[in-house]
Amino acid sequence: MYELLWFAGGALTYQILARMLRIAQLYLFFQEIHVHALLMIEAVSEDLETAKEIKHELAKECGLQEKEVELVNLADEEAIKLWQQSVVVKVQRCTPNVFKPAIKYDTWNGLKKYLKEIKKR
C-alpha cells in the first residue's frame, strides 16, 4: 500500500517539476526572442534616422529654402518619434499576459536603456 503512495507522490512530483522546467525554458526563450526583436527594431530606427539625414541633405542641395528644409526636418523628426512610441506600445500590447512582467520599459528611451544593459552582459 505504501508503495502505491510513494509511486503516486513521485509521479506528482515529477509532473510538477517538469512543468516548472517547461515554464522556465519558455520564459528564457521569450526573453531571447524579445531581445532579438528589439535589436531589429533598434536597427530600423537607426536606418530611419539615416534616411532622415540623407533627405535633409538632399533637400538643401535641391535649392529649397532653409525654412522649408527645417519644416520638413521637424516633420520627419516628429514622425520618427511617433513611430518609436507606437513601437513600444505595440510591443507591450502584443506580448502575451504571461510574459508582460518581462518587459521592463514603457518608453523609447527606456527600451534603449534596456538594450544597452543587455548588450553589456
Side-chain angles (χ1 to χ4, degrees), residues 1 65 95 97:
M1 183 66 177
Q65 293 180 358
T95 301
N97 290 334

Side-chain angles (χ1 to χ4, degrees), residues 91-114:
V91 166
Q92 291 174 336
R93 189 180 314 145
C94 294
T95 301
N97 290 334
V98 177
F99 298 119
K100 285 192 180 185
I103 298 178
K104 298 176 171 50
Y105 54 86
D106 56 357
T107 64
W108 180 258
N109 289 336
L111 184 148
K112 297 281 282 184
K113 185 178 175 184
Y114 174 74

Side-chain angles (χ1 to χ4, degrees), residues 13-63:
T13 302
Y14 170 79
Q15 289 295 324
I16 291 170
L17 289 175
R19 187 164 296 183
M20 287 172 56
L21 283 174
R22 272 184 266 148
I23 290 170
Q25 286 176 330
L26 213 85
Y27 183 78
L28 291 173
F29 179 70
F30 169 78
Q31 288 226 315
E32 191 73 23
I33 297 297
H34 179 236
V35 167
H36 285 286
L38 294 181
L39 288 170
M40 286 188 284
I41 289 169
E42 182 183 42
V44 170
S45 179
E46 290 169 1
D47 289 346
L48 285 172
E49 291 289 339
T50 302
K52 179 186 68 105
E53 290 169 9
I54 292 170
K55 182 179 175 183
H56 184 73
E57 290 301 317
L58 288 174
K60 281 183 180 178
E61 290 175 11
C62 287

Side-chain angles (χ1 to χ4, degrees), residues 78-89:
E78 189 63 29
I80 289 172
K81 284 180 185 176
L82 288 173
W83 176 81
Q84 291 169 340
Q85 292 170 354
S86 172
V87 164
V88 172
V89 168

